[in-house]
Every structure is written in C-alpha cells, then in structure tokens.
C-alpha cells in the first residue's frame, strides 16, 4: 500500500476522494500468501489500500496527518488473488465490508511476484484531522483525533467501521453458538448468498475460543471448490495437555480426528459429495464442532527422531475406542528434522480401515511437512510393517 512521504501534493486531493478505478499498490509488512522470494501486494480497493496498517499516518502538525497511496497498473494474469488478510485480524471486523463497492472481502488482495508487472501511474493523498477541509476530504476525515489511547490510526479505523456498519455494509458470516466444549455455526439463505462467491472464496466465521478443551483462535469457513461444490474448513490452535477427539458434523456427515496434546495449529477440510450439495445443503448449512478429551496417553501420538529418521510406534490396545468405529484420522504430534541444513517440521496422519483392534489393519498413513521452507527435491521412504514406499516431492 502507500508509503509515508515527507511532503504533500495538493493537486492529488481530488483523486483521493474518487473510488478506485484501478488497483492501488501497497507494500505489506507481512508475507501472507507470498512465495519465498516475496511479492508486491496490490489491491483493486482504495479502501483497503489506504487502511492505516498499510498506509501509515504521517504527522504534519498537531492534530493533522496525511496518508499516501500509489495508483498503479498491473499486467493482466500476472497476479494471484486472495482474501483480505486484515479481515481476520484485530484491525478489522470480519462482519463488515472493507469496501462498500465489494460484496465481501474475499478478493481484495492481488499478489504480484515481479516488479516488472507493475507500473506506478499516480500518487494519491488524504489529509486527516480537525483542521482539514471537510468539503475535500469528507467529514469523517475531519473527526480523526489523537486523543484516543490507541492513537489516530485506531481513531480513523473506528470511524470507518462505524460509518460502514451504520450504512448496512455488513457481511453475513453466519450465526455462532458456543457451548461448554462445542460450537454450532449456522449459515442460511445459501442459494442467494452462494452466487456472490467465486471458487476459492470463503465465508469465514468469527474467531472464538473454547477454554476448557484448550482450543484458541478457532474458525469455521465455507467456500466453493467449483461452481457446484463446496468445502467446509476448520482451523484452530490446540493448547491442551491431553490428546483430544475433534468431531465435525454437517448434515448426515460426521468426521472424527484424534490429535496430540499441545500440537499447535490445525487445519482440515470436508467436501461433501457433488450430488448432495444442492439437494441437501444448499439452503441452510449447519456445522457442529465438538472437542472431547481422549482417554489415552499422550505418548501414544509421540514421534521419535533419531539420525534424521522419524518413528511413530502405536499400540492399538492403548487407544481410546470411543470414536474409532467411525473411521477417524489419527494425527501425531509434530517433530523436527534437519535435511541438507534445512529444518523441517513433520507429522503423520493415520487413516484406519474399520474398527481398530490389536489385530486390525491400517488403511493408510500419510507424511506431511509443515511450517518450514520447501526443498527443491526431497525423497523420503515410508515403512509400514513389511511395506516400504519411496516418494519424491
């Protein structure tokens, strides 16, 4: 987004008032969605580009500030589109549109890997504070003050959110009902609402915590995978001292997963069958998420590492069979491996077939690498009983 500058350019005042007609460049402090080499972040929305997180407020005088944003042209098909990363943070309410010209916040960020695909064509500025000309910059800009504890940036953001909310620029992100160790998320009018979302765009619930099972920053989301299909995703952070069963149910579907204690960030998805989408779940979707403490030792899910080899030894007799008849996934805790000088986090997921017993058979085991840089080529060998499989990434 905008970068702060040392001087103002009054001739750009009129451009500051107009709605964005082409993407506005922003230089992002983070790297959400970018490749390892980074990216230039732009937006088709001037409202997002001028948010104080990206276009900082430069103090000109007491109770007077200025913002800058670059107007750019972007080469077609050179960028990746993603949802606004601000709309799921403390800097914005996910239930409010960031831009009144956009029906939701799902396609407001454009990531461009190469600077050769971006051309700066203009500079826009906005003045804020009680002394600014309200006829040029608007009455909201003239109400910004530094007297708030958080400062003028939060004053301006609060004014924007209040104006958009009072103007009914809201996003229906479902109804959350929290219980002791469970939550229910209800989405209604999906036949109409679904038409506003393209594939890979999502409706995301507000963030919530469930203290007793040790779950924080939990979110449930709905999104299209194609024109006629969708998926339901769940993400959360586990801070439990004991393994947990997580149970996701939606309509007639029910999935269970066993996760290790204090295993950190989790994310997984469910996609219903294509023929079920319109017939059973199109008008109203109700997702129920429950957390139960698993009556097993945390050591059962522990990965051991020796000489850069990772071992997962499970005694089926030590597992809690409460939910195993539902064919759950069982996730190990994370382990760290160092390969060619690069540290990788790895965990394993087991997909059993049918009821697990001491004499049962394992259906499938997957190895997943997470939270680390990707190597150009990585070959690993997976041993499961007498079977050995070699894979190259």
């Amino acid at each position: 987004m905008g970068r702060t500058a040392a001087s103002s350019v009054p001739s750009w005042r009129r451009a500051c008032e107009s709605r964005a007609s082409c993407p506005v460049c922003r230089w992002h402090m983070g790297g959400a969605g970018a490749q390892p080499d980074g990216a230039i972040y732009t937006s088709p929305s001037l409202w997002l580009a001028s948010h104080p997180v990206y276009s900082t407020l430069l103090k000109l005088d007491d109770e007077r500030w200025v913002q800058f944003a670059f107007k750019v042209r972007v080469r077609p098909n050179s960028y990746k589109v993603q949802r606004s990363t601000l709309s799921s943070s403390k800097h914005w309410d996910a239930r409010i549109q960031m831009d009144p010209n956009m029906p939701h916040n799902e396609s407001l960020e454009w990531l461009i890997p190469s600077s050769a695909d971006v051309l700066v064509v203009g500079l826009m500025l906005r003045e804020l504070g009680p002394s600014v000309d309200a006829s040029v910059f608007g009455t909201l800009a003239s109400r910004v003050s530094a007297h708030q504890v958080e400062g003028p940036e939060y004053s301006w953001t609060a004014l924007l959110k209040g104006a958009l909310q009072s103007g009914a620029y809201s996003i229906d992100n479902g109804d959350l009902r929290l219980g002791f160790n469970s939550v229910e998320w209800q989405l209604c009018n999906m036949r109409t609402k679904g038409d506003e979302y393209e594939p890979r765009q999502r409706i995301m619930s507000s963030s919530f915590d469930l203290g007793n099972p040790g779950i924080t920053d939990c979110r449930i989301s709905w999104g299209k995978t194609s024109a006629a299909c969708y998926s339901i995703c769940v993400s959360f952070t586990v801070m439990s001292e004991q393994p947990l069963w997580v149970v996701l149910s939606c309509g007639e579907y029910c999935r269970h997963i066993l996760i290790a204690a204090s295993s950190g960030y989790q994310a997984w998805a469910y996609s219903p069958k294509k023929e079920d989408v319109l017939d059973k779940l199109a008008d109203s979707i109700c997702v129920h998420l429950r957390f139960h403490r698993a009556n097993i030792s945390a050591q059962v899910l522990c990965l051991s590492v020796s000489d850069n080899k990772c071992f997962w030894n499970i005694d089926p007799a030590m597992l809690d069979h409460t939910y195993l008849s539902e064919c759950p996934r069982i996730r190990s805790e994370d382990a760290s491996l160092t390969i060619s000088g690069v540290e990788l986090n790895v965990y394993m997921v087991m997909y059993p077939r049918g009821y697990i017993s001491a004499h049962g058979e394992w259906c499938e085991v997957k190895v997943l690498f997470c939270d680390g840089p990707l190597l150009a080529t990585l070959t690993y060998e997976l041993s499961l009983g007498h079977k050995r499989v070699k894979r190259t990434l």
Side-chain angles (χ1 to χ4, degrees):
M1 280 201 182
R3 298 285 273 180
T4 55
S7 61
S8 62
V9 187
S11 61
W12 290 102
R13 288 183 177 179
R14 189 176 305 171
C16 215
E17 290 185 297
S18 65
R19 294 180 177 180
S21 58
C22 76
V24 178
C25 184
R26 66 180 175 86
W27 306 92
H28 187 39
M29 283 75 76
Q35 297 297 320
D37 292 336
I40 297 173
Y41 282 67
T42 67
S43 174
S45 167
L46 182 56
W47 292 72
L48 175 64
S50 59
H51 191 284
V53 166
Y54 306 121
S55 180
T56 55
L57 273 62
L58 175 67
K59 187 172 183 179
L60 299 177
D61 203 344
D62 289 341
E63 294 288 293
R64 187 185 176 202
W65 302 267
V66 66
Q67 281 184 301
F68 292 94
F70 293 104
K71 184 176 182 179
V72 302
R73 296 189 183 276
V74 178
R75 191 186 307 277
N77 303 318
S78 66
Y79 53 87
K80 168 189 171 184
V81 180
Q82 71 177 22
R83 72 186 309 270
S84 166
T85 51
L86 275 188
S87 59
S88 58
S89 72
K90 67 178 181 179
H91 300 293
W92 196 258
D93 190 334
R95 298 166 296 181
I96 301 176
Q97 294 169 231
M98 297 200 73
D99 188 330
N101 305 296
M102 307 286 188
H104 49 69
N105 302 330
E106 291 302 302
S107 55
L108 297 186
E109 294 189 359
W110 294 5
L111 278 67
I112 307 166
S114 173
S115 59
D117 296 322
V118 183
L119 178 65
V120 177
V121 296
L123 174 67
M124 293 172 284
L125 66 85
R126 170 168 54 204
E127 293 185 31
L128 305 100
S131 62
V132 305
D133 188 346
S135 65
V136 176
F137 298 105
T139 55
L140 280 186
S142 66
R143 292 167 55 190
V144 175
S145 172
H147 295 314
Q148 290 195 1
V149 176
E150 296 88 351
E153 294 83 2
Y154 284 90
S155 171
W156 174 234
T157 304
L159 288 168
L160 281 177
K161 287 193 289 188
L164 289 169
Q165 195 167 20
S166 63
Y169 292 106
S170 60
I171 299 172
D172 182 4
N173 64 345
D175 182 23
L176 273 178
R177 300 174 183 176
L178 298 180
F180 180 69
N181 63 344
S182 64
V183 63
E184 184 178 271
W185 186 47
Q186 180 84 38
L187 287 173
C188 299
N189 302 319
M190 293 307 295
R191 288 189 185 275
T192 302
K193 194 181 304 179
D195 293 338
E196 299 177 354
Y197 289 80
E198 299 294 330
R200 295 184 297 277
Q201 295 180 352
R202 309 197 69 82
I203 301 175
M204 184 171 291
S205 75
S206 301
S207 176
F208 59 91
D209 300 337
L210 295 174
N212 183 57
I215 301 297
T216 62
D217 196 24
C218 189
R219 292 180 184 271
I220 310 171
S221 64
W222 171 96
K224 285 185 178 179
T225 55
S226 66
C229 293
Y230 67 87
S231 67
I232 294 172
C233 295
V234 179
S235 63
F236 52 89
T237 300
V238 183
M239 300 300 294
S240 173
E241 297 180 356
Q242 186 176 353
L244 293 174
W245 284 110
V246 186
V247 184
L248 168 68
S249 57
C250 181
E252 298 178 358
Y253 177 85
C254 189
R255 169 176 287 181
H256 303 81
I257 181 171
L258 179 62
I259 57 177
S262 302
S263 55
Y265 179 76
Q266 303 277 326
W268 37 289
Y270 140 64
S271 297
K273 295 179 181 179
K274 184 175 181 179
E275 58 269 20
D276 293 339
V277 174
L278 296 179
D279 295 338
K280 296 181 180 179
L281 300 174
D283 268 344
S284 177
I285 297 176
C286 183
V287 180
H288 193 73
L289 192 62
R290 288 176 289 150
F291 297 88
H292 301 272
R293 297 189 184 278
N295 187 27
I296 64 173
S297 169
Q299 296 300 317
V300 174
L301 305 181
C302 179
L303 290 180
S304 58
V305 178
S306 176
D307 296 329
N308 273 345
K309 294 180 180 179
C310 196
F311 301 92
W312 190 20
N313 299 311
I314 297 182
D315 182 357
M318 298 179 65
L319 290 175
D320 179 3
H321 298 290
T322 307
Y323 296 102
L324 293 180
S325 59
E326 303 290 341
C327 301
R329 298 187 300 173
I330 301 177
R331 184 199 190 281
S332 76
E333 66 177 19
D334 293 356
S336 180
L337 296 174
T338 302
I339 303 174
S340 301
V342 177
E343 185 173 323
L344 297 175
N345 289 335
V346 60
Y347 64 90
M348 298 185 189
V349 180
M350 183 173 61
Y351 299 76
R353 174 183 296 155
Y355 189 82
I356 299 179
S357 67
H359 306 289
E361 294 183 355
W362 307 123
C363 173
E364 185 179 5
V365 172
K366 290 185 178 180
V367 179
L368 297 101
F369 298 92
C370 60
D371 298 334
L374 297 177
L375 300 176
T377 302
L378 175 63
T379 300
Y380 68 91
E381 184 177 275
L382 177 63
S383 300
L384 182 61
H386 299 293
K387 296 183 179 181
R388 295 178 181 270
V389 180
K390 183 173 287 190
R391 292 283 186 267
T392 299
L393 301 178

